[in-house]
Amino acid sequence: MRVALYARVSTEEQAEGYSIDAQRRTFQALCQARNWEIYNEYLEEGRSARTEHVNKRPVFKVIIADA
């Protein structure tokens, strides 16, 4: 199975323990354990999924286009 990884933090407070790198390591370990092929990794820092319109989240827009 081919998968895409999306990691995001919206604030510095969220980054504590949930940093982009920590999320990537967790996703990569899961994919390796399940023999999934990582198609691409999409990383977006400082963007709120709840309060920001999708037009202000450029990486998320790329994911939608790639899908």
Side-chain angles (χ1 to χ4, degrees), residues 30-42:
L30 175 66
C31 291
Q32 183 177 8
R34 296 191 178 179
N35 293 315
W36 292 346
E37 175 189 352
I38 299 173
Y39 162 74
N40 202 352
E41 294 183 8
Y42 301 90

Side-chain angles (χ1 to χ4, degrees), residues 9-63:
V9 294
S10 58
T11 65
E12 285 186 34
E13 292 82 26
Q14 286 182 330
E16 185 67 33
Y18 297 99
S19 70
I20 296 290
D21 287 335
Q23 291 177 57
R24 286 181 69 223
R25 286 191 302 272
T26 300
F27 293 153
Q28 290 168 344
L30 175 66
C31 291
Q32 183 177 8
R34 296 191 178 179
N35 293 315
W36 292 346
E37 175 189 352
I38 299 173
Y39 162 74
N40 202 352
E41 294 183 8
Y42 301 90
L43 311 174
E44 192 158 56
E45 294 185 67
R47 301 293 179 187
S48 173
R50 185 167 39 123
T51 62
E52 291 192 87
H53 189 273
V54 70
N55 289 334
K56 293 184 178 180
R57 296 170 54 206
V59 174
F60 189 73
K61 286 174 61 175
V62 171
I63 294 168

